[in-house]
Amino acid sequence: MTQTRRIRICILAALALTGAAFAVSLLVGKYPIQWDQLTAGGMDARVFFTLRLPRSCMALLAGLALGAAGSVYQTVFRNPLASPDIIGVASGATVGAAAAILLFGSGVLLTALFAFAGGMAAVLLVLAMAAASRRRDMLGIVLAGIAVNALAQAVLMLLKLTADPERQLAAIEFWTMGSFADITLEKFLGVLPFAAAGLAGLALLRRQILLLALGDDEARMLGVRLESTRRLVLLLATLVTGAVVSMTGLISFIGLLAPHIARLLAKSSRFSVTVLAALCGSTLLLAADILARSLGSSEVPVSIVTSLLGAPFLFWLLCRKEEQDG
């Protein structure tokens, strides 16, 4: 089987799995829906169109965004463990959300705006620090990301110390665990343009992204403007990630797991693997959300489920790597 044919088969299979997971997600919920009543405009229709459908669409979009962004981060950094944490997106978004909760309460819209602004500000600070340093390679960005992460964690701890333990602190901690419980159609439509613009931009820059993966010298010889292209790619990936987590809260492991699964299936380094990673991310996140709604009498935060799925997979990857090295 040729590599191109293998990738096509994997993408078609991933599309089918994503569609099946989306359909099941529409069926699962605490409120049983009578499907023949959807056109009647009663409670069944309100629950489906106001809560159930937007939630499933948001899980689908979040999986696409996190899977694609994770694949881009790993390609650009040439590091299979790269994730939004490496350049401060997650920590910046958490500080922004915590600040909004302390200043304005737990209003969803302001929390989302502050989280998005915090993630973008963290990445801009990382890029500015890397540009001001003497290092012009990827290590400079990684070191700047570590510094910004440490700074953001310190600020977050200070914010937690000043938070009301009963209300504000609990809201901050719940935001860091991620959830689709409060997603509505308005929130989904508010995120969609930003995520779509970021994904479209990454697709347009697919050739440059693959060339960046070859290394700085090779990419420069092939005509890539390293610093400007790398910054643009990272900002687009951050736009995609920040737009999603601003509404859902932090969702762990999807951006790390989906690219690994895609590479294991496709055995390729083409940009089509990023497409496959996006579909794998959607399938994983839809499945995790289904489990989050079904595991107990009350809903479980989705990051708990993704962590329970992700940790064994990473351990399996580690064992597999050791066997290959041996």
Side-chain angles (χ1 to χ4, degrees):
M1 182 185 297
T2 64
Q3 192 174 70
T4 301
R5 180 177 173 80
R6 181 186 184 91
I7 293 173
R8 287 177 180 172
I9 291 174
C10 289
I11 289 177
L12 288 175
L15 276 171
L17 285 174
T18 301
F22 183 79
V24 173
S25 178
L26 294 176
L27 298 173
V28 174
K30 299 299 181 185
Y31 184 86
I33 292 177
Q34 298 180 13
W35 301 101
D36 58 345
Q37 298 297 317
L38 290 184
T39 57
M43 180 60 71
D44 295 277
R46 287 197 294 272
V47 169
F48 181 79
F49 291 108
T50 306
L51 300 175
R52 191 80 59 84
L53 182 60
R55 177 176 184 145
S56 298
C57 289
M58 189 67 204
L60 176 68
L61 178 64
L64 286 172
L66 295 174
S71 179
V72 169
Y73 282 127
Q74 292 178 16
T75 301
V76 171
F77 284 102
R78 301 189 294 277
N79 185 342
L81 295 179
S83 68
D85 298 334
I86 202 169
I87 56 172
V89 182
S91 57
T94 304
V95 170
I101 291 170
L102 287 179
L103 294 173
F104 305 105
S106 55
V108 176
L109 180 59
L110 284 174
T111 301
L113 290 174
F114 271 66
F116 180 74
M120 293 298 293
V123 174
L124 290 173
L125 181 58
V126 167
L127 295 177
M129 291 173 62
S133 69
R134 296 180 179 179
R135 304 197 65 98
R136 299 294 178 182
D137 55 6
M138 289 305 304
L139 183 57
I141 295 179
V142 173
L143 292 175
I146 293 172
V148 170
N149 268 314
L151 177 62
Q153 290 300 323
V155 173
L156 180 62
M157 285 187 284
L158 287 173
L159 293 176
K160 285 183 176 181
L161 283 175
T162 62
D164 178 3
E166 294 185 1
R167 295 183 294 106
Q168 295 172 329
L169 186 59
I172 293 171
E173 294 295 342
F174 186 78
W175 191 90
T176 61
M177 291 187 286
S179 175
F180 294 106
D182 296 326
I183 297 299
T184 62
L185 182 60
E186 290 77 14
K187 296 174 186 177
F188 171 72
L189 293 178
V191 168
L192 182 60
F194 296 99
L199 290 172
L202 292 175
L204 291 174
L205 292 173
R206 58 187 180 276
R207 177 179 175 275
Q208 289 84 344
I209 292 171
L210 292 178
L211 292 178
L212 287 174
L214 298 176
D216 290 357
D217 294 336
E218 292 84 351
R220 192 179 290 109
M221 289 175 59
L222 292 170
V224 177
R225 296 181 178 179
L226 283 177
E227 292 185 21
S228 59
T229 301
R230 184 179 291 143
R231 288 172 186 170
L232 179 58
V233 169
L234 291 177
L235 284 173
L236 287 172
T238 302
L239 174 64
V240 169
T241 305
V244 167
V245 302
S246 68
M247 284 296 178
T248 64
L250 296 183
I251 299 176
S252 58
F253 277 105
I254 296 298
L256 186 63
L257 284 182
H260 279 286
I261 295 173
R263 284 194 295 272
L264 285 173
L265 292 173
K267 301 184 184 300
S268 171
S269 58
R270 301 177 184 178
F271 189 80
S272 52
V273 175
T274 299
V275 177
L276 182 58
L279 292 172
C280 290
S282 287
T283 303
L284 287 171
L285 196 47
L286 283 164
D289 186 46
I290 292 168
L291 290 174
R293 285 182 268 172
S294 308
L295 287 177
S297 56
S298 60
E299 184 172 322
V300 178
V302 72
S303 269
I304 294 178
V305 181
T306 57
S307 297
L308 290 173
L309 295 174
F313 183 81
L314 286 181
F315 179 71
W316 175 79
L317 280 179
L318 175 64
C319 295
R320 185 174 181 271
K321 177 65 175 173
E322 289 179 351
E323 290 176 0
Q324 290 175 345
D325 294 341

